[in-house]
Amino acid sequence: MEAVYGWIRNIVCYLCLFNIFLQALPGENFKKYVRFFGGLLLIVMVLGPLADMANLSESFEQAWRLGSLREQAEDMRITGQGIEELREDKINEAYRKELKRQVEDVVRAYGMEPVKVELQFSENAEGIRGISGADLQISGEEEDFEKKASDIKNELLEVYHISAGHINISIQE
């Protein structure tokens, strides 16, 4: 019985303090919002002990935990997707750099020096498929430049399957 008296005492004290707070508000603009919020608090105060008697608080806590865990799982899934996209971007970037390095090595193998190497890549939904075009600017000895350029072009055609029309080699003097 003491618990019921304590419950009623808490409700009466709340109502008294709430009405004092309402009287202290300057103006009518916010009173309807404060009354709404105060009404929600009163409902929680009234239903709290009733929920405890019916063990609803445990059900509410369990539902709250479950909702919280679902939200955390969704956040982790979204974060995982972001990490996967970042990882794919890093892999694609490393792949591009490696292909550029390989093309530069092909040029160096013919005794020429790559000044500028620009590669165009073909991509699909999974990422980079391969090189679709190459613009090379090379420097080196002028003797047999045409033959060396032709050999470089043929090697790029053979190794990377780039069509002949998409390989441009120019010399820088």
Side-chain angles (χ1 to χ4, degrees), residues 15-26 31 34-35:
L15 288 174
C16 290
L17 291 174
F18 183 70
N19 281 323
I20 291 171
F21 180 72
L22 276 178
Q23 296 302 318
L25 280 177
K31 281 191 178 181
V34 172
R35 279 193 189 110

Side-chain angles (χ1 to χ4, degrees), residues 100 103-104 107-108 112-119 134-140 145 149 152 156 167-173:
K100 183 177 178 181
V103 169
E104 289 171 348
V107 172
R108 287 187 187 102
M112 306 297 280
E113 190 61 36
V115 175
K116 182 172 138 185
V117 176
E118 290 183 6
L119 302 175
D135 293 320
L136 308 174
Q137 193 174 43
I138 59 177
S139 66
F145 173 75
I152 291 170
L156 293 177
I167 299 174
N168 301 315
I169 299 177
S170 62
I171 189 166
Q172 181 182 14
E173 298 182 22

